[in-house]
Amino acid sequence: MGTTNATSRRCGGCSTLTSFAFGISGVTAAGDGGSLPIVFFAGAIAVSAMVLPGSSGAAFLYVLGQYQYLMASLNDFLDALAAVPRGGGVGPVIDTGPVIAAFVIGAVIGLLTMARTVKWTLERYRVALLVFLVGLMVGALWLPVEQAVAETIPRTPGRVAAIALAVAVGAGAVFVLDRRTESLEYA
């Protein structure tokens, strides 16, 4: 009875986090850049994601709607910086510098705090952290999948059924593996 409750709690937590990430990726996908505080937090989240096993900082920037904006800002900053020795003014460097500085400061703070937080959480709540990460990653997949499907594959009932079947088979495999490996310790 205890393992059934634990599995139910894991599934519930994973579903909740998947739904949260699913919703966040839809809301922030329309982002076209941001203010310096948003860039700061994007830097902290992106670097924090790289500390977490199985996640990508660029993917989180993409989900947050900041990837294109930050890449354009970085390109503009580097172009302006490269033009200075050739006689270009420092004005464009100063214009684009605050965005890069905010991102870097957020990244440093995110790295210093997240590494310790992940270590502490893995030591005390390993299974909960892994459930959190799975929910976050699965939920964040919505945006790239939605865009890929919209651009390439027309939706038909047969394709939707095939995707639903693949999801059901994958979920079934996870439940079977969970049952078969319940005697393993997560040390």
Side-chain angles (χ1 to χ4, degrees), residues 51 113-127 129:
V51 172
T113 58
M114 186 54 75
R116 291 182 184 183
T117 303
V118 168
K119 180 181 177 190
W120 182 85
T121 307
L122 278 172
E123 289 171 354
R124 288 167 180 78
Y125 306 104
R126 182 177 180 84
V127 173
L129 179 62

Side-chain angles (χ1 to χ4, degrees), residues 88-148:
V90 294
V93 175
I94 293 171
D95 290 343
T96 56
V99 173
I100 304 306
F103 182 83
V104 169
I105 292 168
V108 169
I109 290 172
L111 182 63
L112 294 176
T113 58
M114 186 54 75
R116 291 182 184 183
T117 303
V118 168
K119 180 181 177 190
W120 182 85
T121 307
L122 278 172
E123 289 171 354
R124 288 167 180 78
Y125 306 104
R126 182 177 180 84
V127 173
L129 179 62
L130 295 176
V131 166
F132 169 76
L133 291 174
V134 168
L136 197 59
M137 287 183 275
V138 169
L141 286 175
W142 173 78
L143 181 61
V145 168
E146 182 69 24
Q147 288 179 348

Side-chain angles (χ1 to χ4, degrees), residues 7 17 34 42-43 65 70 80 84 98 109-110 120 133 138 142 150 153 169:
T7 300
L17 289 165
L70 287 169
V84 170
I109 290 172
W120 182 85
L133 291 174
V138 169
W142 173 78
I153 303 172
V169 168

Side-chain angles (χ1 to χ4, degrees), residues 63-103:
V63 167
L64 292 170
Q66 297 298 306
Y67 184 81
Q68 296 293 345
Y69 173 71
L70 287 169
M71 288 304 295
S73 296
L74 181 60
N75 285 333
D76 293 345
F77 178 75
L78 292 175
D79 289 344
L81 200 57
V84 170
R86 296 181 303 216
V90 294
V93 175
I94 293 171
D95 290 343
T96 56
V99 173
I100 304 306
F103 182 83

Side-chain angles (χ1 to χ4, degrees), residues 37-74:
I38 290 174
V39 170
F40 171 85
F41 286 113
I45 290 169
V47 168
S48 298
M50 294 190 318
V51 172
L52 300 172
S55 62
S56 163
F60 278 95
L61 287 176
Y62 186 71
V63 167
L64 292 170
Q66 297 298 306
Y67 184 81
Q68 296 293 345
Y69 173 71
L70 287 169
M71 288 304 295
S73 296
L74 181 60

